[in-house]
């Protein structure tokens, strides 16, 4: 699963990297420990144009009876998206990019119960995008809450010694296809969700303070 990531690039860098306009209201501080239930930076297609939007991490499907379901739906497995009716609807109609510049997975120490957090990035700590799905849910007070989930896939050679899943990171071409609202072909979409090329990624151990979701400082990745 993917349960924690970073986004420390500024919004102007994000705008340039993804070719989107940055709303004046969306000037966010760097984050080194993004956790579920927080609002995260995404790109959705509106009126055939990609736009930045903040969505809550933890999918609450439109049909859900309780808001708490979002706590259990922070990830969606690529292999079953086209099989589960609730995900298939979103796969066809509500795809998004989730902007990040690194993510954490925990590696089991041999002969120990301890796990070491590993910080995984593209080489050069470039910006990238996870493949995501989003939905809108109306709470009992009538408020529309827009939420999202990160899609996971089988790991590449960098991540597999650490964990048996990794988030689906899209290539530049894959990002354009993922946001193309006219694309409804399951196989063409799922083809974009393969493990990102290992030769373009790296991983290193970092501070165990990342275990505390309240701690969100740059020294986590020092």
């Amino acid at each position: 699963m993917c349960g924690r990531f970073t986004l420390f690039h500024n919004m102007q860098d994000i705008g340039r990297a993804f070719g989107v306009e940055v709303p004046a209201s969306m000037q966010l501080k760097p984050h080194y420990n993004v956790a579920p239930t927080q609002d995260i930076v995404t790109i959705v297609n509106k009126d055939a144009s990609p736009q930045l939007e903040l969505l809550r991490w933890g999918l609450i499907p439109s049909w859900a009876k309780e808001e708490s379901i979002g706590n259990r739906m922070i990830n969606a497995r690529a292999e079953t998206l086209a099989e589960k009716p609730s995900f298939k609807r979103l796969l066809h109609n509500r795809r998004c990019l989730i902007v990040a510049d690194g993510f954490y997975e925990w590696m089991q120490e041999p002969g120990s119960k301890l796990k070491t957090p590993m910080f995984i990035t593209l080489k050069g700590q470039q910006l990238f995008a996870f493949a995501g799905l989003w939905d809108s849910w109306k709470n009992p007070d009538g408020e529309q809450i827009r939420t999202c989930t990160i899609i996971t896939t089988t790991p590449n050679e960098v991540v597999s010694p650490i964990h048996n899943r990794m988030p689906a990171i899209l290539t530049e071409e894959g990002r354009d296809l993922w946001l193309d609202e006219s694309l409804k072909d399951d196989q063409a979409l799922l083809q974009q969700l393969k493990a990102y090329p290992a030769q373009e990624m790296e991983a290193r151990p970092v501070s165990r303070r990342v275990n505390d979701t309240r701690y969100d400082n740059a020294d986590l990745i020092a």
Side-chain angles (χ1 to χ4, degrees):
M1 65 180 293
C2 176
R4 218 73 63 78
F5 67 90
T6 63
L7 184 57
F8 47 78
H9 281 77
N10 62 46
M11 296 305 299
Q12 286 66 40
D13 287 342
I14 292 170
R16 285 191 292 270
F18 294 97
V20 291
E21 184 176 341
V22 179
S25 60
M26 196 181 285
Q27 299 301 323
L28 307 178
K29 69 175 186 177
H31 285 288
Y32 299 88
N33 200 3
V34 181
T37 74
Q38 296 177 2
D39 288 344
I40 60 177
V41 178
T42 72
I43 300 173
V44 299
N45 220 333
K46 286 185 176 179
D47 303 319
S49 175
Q51 296 182 29
L52 286 166
E53 185 166 332
L54 293 177
L55 299 177
R56 186 199 293 182
W57 184 13
L59 186 74
I60 308 174
S62 59
W63 46 260
K65 294 182 178 179
E66 295 184 1
E67 187 172 348
S68 60
I69 193 174
N71 299 330
R72 305 189 299 276
M73 298 185 72
I74 65 171
N75 294 152
R77 293 175 65 92
E79 297 87 343
T80 58
L81 293 181
E83 300 169 7
K84 295 185 176 181
S86 57
F87 283 142
K88 186 162 187 171
R89 175 180 63 87
L90 303 182
L91 178 64
H92 288 174
N93 301 306
R94 292 196 164 177
R95 302 187 296 270
C96 66
L97 308 181
I98 295 170
V99 181
D101 40 34
F103 64 97
Y104 300 100
E105 294 293 358
W106 279 254
M107 183 168 65
Q108 185 75 53
E109 293 293 337
S112 171
K113 293 183 178 180
L114 293 176
K115 290 185 177 182
T116 297
M118 303 292 290
F119 183 49
I120 304 163
T121 64
L122 300 191
K123 290 180 178 177
Q125 298 189 358
Q126 306 167 55
L127 282 158
F128 57 81
F130 300 131
L133 303 173
W134 71 274
D135 209 351
S136 184
W137 178 77
K138 184 183 289 187
N139 70 12
D141 296 327
E143 178 188 7
Q144 290 287 344
I145 300 175
R146 292 159 70 88
T147 62
C148 64
T149 188
I150 294 173
I151 298 171
T152 66
T153 188
T154 53
N156 61 22
E157 292 86 350
V158 170
V159 181
S160 59
I162 305 168
H163 201 275
N164 62 2
R165 302 291 295 174
M166 70 176 287
I169 298 172
L170 295 164
T171 63
E172 188 170 346
E173 180 185 3
R175 297 197 300 252
D176 292 338
L177 288 170
W178 195 251
L179 288 182
D180 182 352
E181 294 178 312
S182 67
L183 183 59
K184 309 290 186 183
D185 181 77
D186 289 348
Q187 290 308 310
L189 290 166
L190 297 178
Q191 187 71 19
Q192 310 310 314
L193 305 178
K194 293 183 176 181
Y196 199 80
Q199 66 271 21
E200 298 180 26
M201 299 182 69
E202 56 191 5
R204 59 182 173 84
V206 290
S207 170
R208 286 194 171 92
R209 297 195 73 171
V210 72
N211 295 335
D212 183 355
T213 57
R214 297 167 297 180
Y215 196 81
D216 188 16
N217 292 330
D219 60 344
L220 285 177
I221 62 172

